[in-house]
């Protein structure tokens, strides 16, 4: 556990994972989009608007999945003070926020023609909007302090408290009556979606997960570099910078090549 | 010595965070239970019948299935009436305006408006509520033919009662 | 082919969903890549300064804040 938390080990692992992540993402998204837009049938009730589901639902899953990941990393950074856990939490937040926002936007674009409204304040839609605000709050909070460690403490606390919202999002459609329909995939008795429509859904979900891995690695590398820059600047390097100096090979990045 | 101290402090933090999460979760559960009625998005016809007579000034939402064969267009052309049912109680709804694309007899609907003194629900807005089943037309037809369709309809009526 | 673009009359909703998703995911990817490249440039610059100033010292501590 602690071994993987070392940045050098992480960077080597990330370089090994990256080509696979790119390959899987491109492949699953290409096949998934073909199935979603061309090869899958229209719904017997909703016609072609059902195709919005193939991004709406995976985006919702990613929004929840990223949040749980962010909260776990936040807890690890609070308990064990792993710098990498904090960095991973910070790197996850914008990805999760993007997926959550996409879930809300595509849901709106689906709700207008089918339900007859862009938005209602029912339990599912409201709890999903709260999820987006939790992401935005976390990102604002971790950057609000001059001392990054204090920022990550406050952010981790918010991420952990907000994790209560995750089961609320998931079960809102069972606990309360809502305009949003009940769960279609993760439900008792198996999915209530025809197999021909499940394939594009799962492929795009895998593609989104691959995309998450790619951007997560990029953002962790970015954050590691920025911490090193901050450490160097604090030690007085760069204050008397004589302008432009030719960049040299940097051993710190040896494991971080693309 | 100092290593084990650091370890016990980590364990302490772990317990502290666990306890804080439990407390926050408990508070959220209590709060949501207390406000259960305001979280509810719509009333079923049964719930409405329990509360009648309704204050005609109170704006509320009702939800249920549009009863088969109940949709009627009035002479003026833009006003419709239909019956919303949860298979136990019915409510008559009248509505002037454009219905959503998914508005069908036998399908879910949520209407916002108020009860008039005659016991009819006057809707200002009508939204369609669809179920969690997605399938191509051929599969739906096959289900109808094999007689499995009623299970789905029963489930939908149950979902509406909640 | 026109069926494909018309989406049963819901083209506006379906295509804007897919379009917005593509744009959002590409923008996030680009922003992350650009930030990474910039951080690499800045870091390389600082490392050069570090080397020219304290040639015998080993690398400064990386992550302990």
């Amino acid at each position: 556990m602690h071994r993987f938390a070392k940045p050098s080990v992480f960077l080597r692992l990330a370089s090994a994972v990256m080509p696979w992540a790119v390959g899987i993402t491109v492949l699953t998204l290409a096949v998934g989009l073909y199935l979603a837009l061309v090869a899958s049938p229209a719904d017997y009730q909703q016609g072609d608007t059902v195709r919005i589901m193939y991004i709406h639902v995976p985006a919702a899953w990613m929004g929840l999945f990223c949040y749980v990941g962010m909260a776990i990393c936040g807890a690890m950074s609070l308990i064990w003070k792993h710098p990498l856990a904090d960095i991973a939490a910070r790197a996850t937040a914008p990805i999760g926020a993007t997926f959550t926002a996409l879930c809300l936007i595509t849901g709106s674009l689906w709700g207008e023609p089918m339900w007859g409204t862009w938005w209602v304040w029912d339990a599912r839609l409201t709890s999903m909007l709260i999820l987006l605000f939790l992401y935005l709050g976390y990102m604002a909070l971790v950057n609000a302090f001059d001392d990054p460690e204090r920022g990550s403490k406050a952010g981790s606390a918010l991420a952990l408290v907000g994790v209560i919202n995750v089961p609320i999002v998931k079960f809102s459609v069972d606990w309360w009556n809502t305009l949003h329909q009940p769960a279609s995939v993760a439900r008792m008795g198996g999915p209530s979606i025809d197999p021909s429509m499940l394939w594009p859904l799962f492929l795009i979900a895998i593609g989104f997960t691959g995309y998450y891995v790619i951007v997560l690695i990029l953002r962790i590398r970015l954050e590691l570099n920025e911490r090193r820059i901050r450490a160097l600047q604090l030690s007085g390097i760069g204050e008397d910078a004589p302008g432009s100096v030719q960049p040299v090979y940097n051993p710190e990045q040896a494991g971080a090549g693309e | 010595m100092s290593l084990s101290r650091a370890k016990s402090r980590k364990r302490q933090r772990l317990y502290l965070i666990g306890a804080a999460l439990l407390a926050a979760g408990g508070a959220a559960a209590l709060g949501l239970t207390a406000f259960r009625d305001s979280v509810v998005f719509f009333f079923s016809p049964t719930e409405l019948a329990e509360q009648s007579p309704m204050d005609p000034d109170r704006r509320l939402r009702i939800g249920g299935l549009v009863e088969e064969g109940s949709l009627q267009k009035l002479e003026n052309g833009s006003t419709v009436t239909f019956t919303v049912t949860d298979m136990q109680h019915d409510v008559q709804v009248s509505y002037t305006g454009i219905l959503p694309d998914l508005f069908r007899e036998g399908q879910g609907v949520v209407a916002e408006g108020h009860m008039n003194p005659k016991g009819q629900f006057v809707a200002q807005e009508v939204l369609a509520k669809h179920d969690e089943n997605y399938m191509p037309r051929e599969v739906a037809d096959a289900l109808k033919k094999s007689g499995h369709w009623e299970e789905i309809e029963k489930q939908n009526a149950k979902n509406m009662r909640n | 082919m026109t069926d494909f673009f018309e989406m049963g009359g819901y083209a506006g909703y379906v295509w804007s969903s897919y379009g917005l998703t593509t744009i959002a995911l590409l923008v996030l990817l680009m922003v992350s890549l650009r930030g990474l490249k910039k951080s690499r440039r800045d870091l390389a610059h600082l490392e050069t300064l570090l080397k020219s100033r304290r040639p015998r010292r080993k690398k400064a501590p990386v992550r302990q804040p």
Side-chain angles (χ1 to χ4, degrees), chain A residues 64 123-124 126-128 130 162-176, chain B residues 25 28-29 32 39:
Chain A
L64 292 169
R124 169 56 73 81
T126 307
S127 56
M128 203 63 191
I130 290 171
V163 91
I164 293 161
N165 188 44
V166 171
I168 294 179
V169 171
K170 164 71 188 144
F171 295 110
S172 53
V173 287
D174 303 322
W175 291 343
W176 301 286
Chain B
L32 289 172
V39 176

Side-chain angles (χ1 to χ4, degrees), chain A residues 220-253:
Chain A
I220 290 179
R221 284 176 180 166
L222 164 64
E223 190 80 25
L224 281 172
N225 284 351
E226 277 183 348
R227 292 209 173 184
R228 171 113 172 107
I229 289 169
R230 211 175 299 130
L232 286 175
Q233 278 168 343
L234 281 178
S235 69
I237 306 290
E239 273 171 0
D240 44 40
S244 64
V245 181
Q246 278 293 305
V248 292
Y249 175 69
N250 173 10
E252 203 36 50
Q253 289 171 276

Side-chain angles (χ1 to χ4, degrees), chain A residues 28 30 37 46 55 58 77 100 103 107-108 123 134 142 152 184 189 193 195 216 240:
Chain A
T28 50
L37 288 168
Q46 310 196 34
I55 42 178
S77 115
T100 307
C103 169
S108 204
L134 283 170
V142 290
S152 65
S184 288
I193 301 179
L216 179 71
D240 44 40

Side-chain angles (χ1 to χ4, degrees), chain A residues 43-46 78-80 113-115 160 164 168 175-182 184 192 194, chain B residues 10 13-14 21 24-25 32 36 39-42 102 104 107 127-130 132-135 137 162:
Chain A
D43 183 67
Y44 78 112
Q45 286 284 359
Q46 310 196 34
L78 275 184
I79 297 167
W80 293 291
M114 287 299 104
W115 296 347
L160 271 171
I164 293 161
I168 294 179
W175 291 343
W176 301 286
N177 60 22
T178 51
L179 185 61
H180 195 285
Q181 69 282 5
S184 288
S192 60
D194 192 74
Chain B
K10 275 173 194 173
R13 283 202 292 263
L14 179 66
L21 265 184
L32 289 172
R36 195 157 200 274
V39 176
V40 158
F41 188 63
F42 59 81
L102 214 60
R104 316 252 155 96
Q107 288 272 315
L127 305 175
K129 174 175 163 68
H130 60 81
E132 70 274 35
N133 300 293
Y134 301 90
M135 63 192 96
R137 180 165 296 283
N162 196 29

Side-chain angles (χ1 to χ4, degrees), chain B residues 72-131:
Chain B
Q72 278 180 341
K73 211 167 208 169
L74 296 193
E75 278 99 46
N76 67 17
S78 58
T79 301
V80 292
T81 63
F82 53 90
T83 307
V84 170
T85 177
D86 59 4
M87 305 295 170
Q88 288 175 350
H89 287 86
D90 298 341
V91 177
Q92 268 279 322
V93 178
S94 81
Y95 172 66
T96 308
I98 302 159
L99 291 167
D101 291 8
L102 214 60
F103 183 92
R104 316 252 155 96
E105 292 184 342
Q107 288 272 315
V109 72
V110 174
E112 186 176 350
H114 60 271
M115 295 297 286
N116 72 7
K118 285 183 286 178
Q120 199 183 37
F121 191 84
V122 182
Q124 263 94 54
E125 191 178 27
V126 171
L127 305 175
K129 174 175 163 68
H130 60 81
D131 62 22

Side-chain angles (χ1 to χ4, degrees), chain A residues 76-119:
Chain A
M76 282 167 63
S77 115
L78 275 184
I79 297 167
W80 293 291
K81 308 266 178 205
H82 281 180
L84 199 61
D86 176 42
I87 288 173
R90 284 168 187 249
T92 299
I95 314 173
T98 304
F99 278 120
T100 307
L102 283 173
C103 169
L104 289 168
I105 293 166
T106 55
S108 204
L109 285 165
W110 193 7
E112 167 61 18
M114 287 299 104
W115 296 347
T117 183
W118 299 100
W119 182 264

